Amino acid sequence: MKFNKIILAALLAVSSSSFAQTNYDFVVEDIRVEGLQRVALGAALTYLPVQRGDAMNKFRVTQLIRSLYSSTHFESVKIYRDGSVLVVEVEERPTISSIIFDGNDDIKDEQLQESLDGANIRIGEPLDRTVITSIENGLKDFFYSIGKYNATVNAIVTPLPRNRVDLKLTFEEGDAAKIKQINIVGNEVYDDTELFGQMELKFDTPWWDFTSETRYQQQTLSGDMETITSYYKDRGYLQFGITSTQVSMSPEKDGIYITLNLSEGETYTVSDIELVGDLLGYEEFVRQLLPIRTGLLYSQAQVTYAEEFVSKYLGRYGYAYPTVTTIPEINEEDKTVKLTISVDPGKRIYVRRVNIEGNQTTADEVLRQNVVQLEGTWLSEGLLETSKSQLSRLTYMEEVEYETVRLPGEDDKVDIEFKVKEQASGQFNAGIGYGDATRLSLQAGIQQDNFLGTGKRVGANISTVSYQSTAQLTYLDPYFTIDGISLGGSLSYSEFDGGDFGTVRFNTKRWSLGGNIGYPINEVNRISFGLTYSDVELTSDNTQFEQTRQFYRQFEDPNDPEAPIDYASLLGSVTWSRNTLNRGLFPSSGSSQRASFSITTPNSDVNYFKFVSDNKWYYPLSRNQRWTVLGRIRLGYGNGYGDVDGIEQVLPFTENFTAGGADTLRGFENNTVGPRGVRRISSQALTTPNGVPVINDPSQDTLTLSSRSLGGNAMAIGGIELIVPTPFVETEFDNSVRTSLFYDVGNVWDTEFDYDAVKDLRLVQTQSSQVLADFSDWKYYRSSAGLSVQWISPMGPMVFSFSRALKEREGDDAKFFTFNIGSTF
């Protein structure tokens, strides 16, 4: 800016001086503007504070030149007199034809363009050359702040025809200076190693510690200084301070030496806590909830928490802008401190209007169903955060932010501005997928979670994979009533081949019709009820296992034992769900719990019940939540109840739980973990040497095991994952690509399997690797560990898993690499 003023002053002096050599006291009879190319004559005349008939003088010349330069259209301006004609000769600023960035690695093109936009340097705009130097210097300062002291920035302006230019910014970033040494002086209470452990900046790290930050960054150093200060003040050192900081550089500008000088002081104990000001009559209640206690060491963290707690507490009642300050009174004689917390709640703030911006597809009323902060009521920070969380959990919302806007002239009213960014909420599928378990799959259909912007979920899908063909219609209205009651239904038909699914061989044809209704308990809890009618036709290879014999008894036809089995059921269900996740897709914090209990009605052909519980917890390890720990556990149990026609009911084996694959136990082939089918073969009739038959001996029966899993009626599967930043992927793609290191463990077992009845029988006609195990033992678990990458690609979701089975059983089918394309996860 100072440089601009110097140039302008010089130009004014030259122009005024040249004009002063002539007789400038004249009346303007005409005005002639020369040198215009793109700027219209009419537009140029609007910048001239002179008209025909005006008397010219030195002051008007200065005013005229200043006005033309302020229009930002002109590179130079000259004023002449031709008789009574005022001649204005201009040279227009060149127009920017293109902007090119070359050599920038640490700064993205988008960030650079934002910086240029602030200086009004855009394609199609006039180029102000005086701004170029300040931009170069500003970018150099940025590189210096991240330790790149050898970085250079050059702006190259290339003239083009018709007074246009190309602007090219070239960067030579160089290598960042590494921290060679950090010295801490003045610390006696805590040694260097302990304080270094609190700092993000590191030096002299081992080669394998690639996550440590050894590159010098000014902002990181400032953060480390705040961390050390908090470390001391949270432990009673009230008057701790960093007295000075020295940062020196090696002559080659590739090494940084940092010295921090500390003044530790002594510890102080809290002697008294006093609350003053207006606490709306809740002083004793607030006092009991404060974390600060007399007789304990002073803690800055507890003081900060106390201030935030009081502010949030007042915010619940509409006092959104309270002033809460803590005044320490230090007694140097006994090293104690009295804390006086002063509270001024200010005025109660009311919400005038709630505005929502950025929703191009979703209707306002759909989003407002999730906003619990109402217009006309007092402002509550808790309600705003709840509103943001509920909006963020919508699968068609990518980002949600809000801000409170105070109204001019109104000290007790605000507007709330919600800014949302939508993401694709549905897709039309017509493609081919392939997975190592599903093999070739064909699918076609449409799924829309935000149908026509109404928030309703509508789907019509037809798919076929190696083991199943499905046609399904689904509908869900999550806002059936204004109170948040949901209503949905589905109609489906499927054909299933257990042999290709990884289980024992059986085929089913099933069609079902169901409906459900859900009720919100509060912002995060929900309960729903469902009722589904199903008709199943079951065809098997006529192999009856010990685990399926009881089920077949009630349906088998003695005259046609190979006839298909047909049974119908009416299944009622109740589901409770709780969701505090921060996002609907790829969450990084919060938790979700879901528990469902379903049972067939007594008039069904089969009587059984099932219980399933799914739980996930996300614990972020870093502030940006790119490092997160995920813990999950899934439990399930099912069985029959009562009897039908005198036959005790069991869980149909078609409803058994299975495990293995991307959704349960990675490292094992899909649906292959669990009890094997056990077939008992009666002994042949024995005869004496004279050919006299004797009675068969059951102890001489033999067993065979299926090579495939039959599943079980009980399941417990869990795991822990460390979600890490995906290498070579930018931060903005975290919502579409996720990488994690995992450990999976679990088992599927059959509580009704009678191991004692068959454990002494001889096992024949089986693979040499198989052994008869107690399939009713829940401790017969498996485990695996590995790396998983999930990607929401334009083709659909993709899951890649590299895993190794750590605990496997005889007959298990372990897989090192698994992948699926075009399937959900």
Side-chain angles (χ1 to χ4, degrees), residues 20 167 211 412 440 477 535 579 586 683 722 724:
L167 176 61
T211 60
D412 62 346
L440 181 66
D477 183 358
D535 185 89
N579 189 340
F586 284 171
S683 59
L722 174 62
V724 301

Side-chain angles (χ1 to χ4, degrees), residues 294-592:
T294 58
L296 300 180
L297 286 177
Y298 170 86
S299 171
Q300 183 65 47
Q302 291 183 351
V303 170
T304 302
Y305 175 82
E307 293 175 347
E308 293 177 350
F309 170 78
V310 174
S311 296
K312 289 182 178 180
Y313 183 78
L314 294 174
R316 293 174 55 187
Y317 299 97
Y319 297 91
Y321 303 105
T323 301
V324 183
T325 55
T326 302
I327 305 170
E329 298 180 26
I330 300 175
N331 188 329
E332 292 291 354
E333 294 182 359
D334 57 4
K335 300 302 178 184
T336 61
V337 57
K338 175 184 177 182
L339 301 177
T340 301
I341 302 177
S342 175
V343 181
D344 178 10
K347 285 192 174 183
R348 176 172 280 180
I349 307 299
Y350 292 84
V351 177
R352 184 189 70 166
R353 185 175 295 114
V354 175
N355 301 315
I356 301 177
E357 300 178 1
N359 50 316
Q360 304 296 324
T361 302
T362 311
D364 263 19
E365 55 267 23
V366 174
L367 299 181
R368 289 180 183 275
Q369 290 275 2
N370 296 275
V371 177
V372 295
Q373 172 68 72
L374 302 180
E375 297 176 347
T377 62
W378 63 57
L379 176 65
S380 170
E381 187 68 25
L383 294 179
L384 289 178
E385 286 296 327
T386 299
S387 301
K388 177 183 176 181
S389 298
Q390 293 191 174
L391 288 170
S392 299
R393 293 186 197 114
L394 298 176
T395 57
Y396 41 88
M397 285 294 127
E398 182 176 347
E399 294 180 5
V400 179
E401 297 294 339
Y402 72 85
E403 62 176 334
T404 303
V405 181
R406 306 195 74 165
L407 302 179
E410 301 280 355
D411 58 357
D412 62 346
K413 292 182 182 178
V414 296
D415 283 348
I416 307 300
E417 303 285 347
F418 280 95
K419 297 181 180 180
V420 302
K421 181 179 179 182
E422 296 174 312
Q423 64 183 4
S425 58
Q427 58 181 353
F428 175 77
N429 297 323
I432 300 175
Y434 186 85
D436 62 347
T438 61
R439 304 298 188 263
L440 181 66
S441 65
L442 304 174
Q443 59 182 5
I446 186 170
Q447 181 73 38
Q448 176 60 259
D449 289 347
N450 187 20
F451 184 67
L452 299 179
T454 62
K456 299 177 182 178
R457 182 180 303 166
V458 178
N461 290 280
I462 300 174
S463 64
T464 174
V465 294
S466 60
Y467 58 81
Q468 188 172 23
S469 299
T470 303
Q472 186 178 42
L473 298 173
T474 59
Y475 172 84
L476 176 64
D477 183 358
Y479 311 108
F480 181 65
T481 71
I482 194 173
D483 297 325
I485 295 177
S486 63
L487 182 67
S490 64
L491 174 65
S492 65
Y493 174 80
S494 66
E495 295 184 1
F496 177 83
D497 185 345
D500 287 334
F501 186 62
T503 62
V504 297
R505 297 186 181 279
F506 67 91
N507 297 81
T508 61
K509 295 181 180 179
R510 177 195 299 262
W511 73 267
S512 61
L513 174 66
N516 61 80
I517 187 170
Y519 299 88
I521 301 174
N522 52 34
E523 290 82 3
V524 298
N525 290 275
R526 191 175 190 85
I527 189 169
S528 61
F529 303 91
L531 192 63
T532 303
Y533 175 81
S534 297
D535 185 89
V536 179
E537 180 183 285
L538 170 64
T539 304
S540 69
D541 60 1
N542 204 31
T543 300
Q544 292 194 17
F545 300 102
E546 289 298 294
Q547 301 99 313
T548 64
R549 189 183 306 277
Q550 181 74 5
F551 173 76
Y552 276 113
R553 281 182 56 197
Q554 60 182 313
F555 297 109
E556 60 186 359
D557 183 357
N559 299 322
D560 189 3
E562 297 185 3
I565 294 173
D566 188 88
Y567 58 90
S569 63
L570 188 62
L571 185 71
S573 63
V574 57
T575 302
W576 165 79
S577 61
R578 180 178 181 272
N579 189 340
T580 62
L581 299 176
N582 62 333
R583 284 195 297 269
L585 184 64
F586 284 171
S588 55
S589 66
S591 65
S592 67

Side-chain angles (χ1 to χ4, degrees), residues 766-784:
T766 186
Q767 299 176 5
S768 59
S769 62
Q770 287 185 332
V771 296
L772 178 63
D774 185 359
F775 296 129
S776 65
D777 185 1
W778 64 272
K779 298 185 295 295
Y780 201 66
Y781 70 93
R782 282 84 163 171
S783 65
S784 64

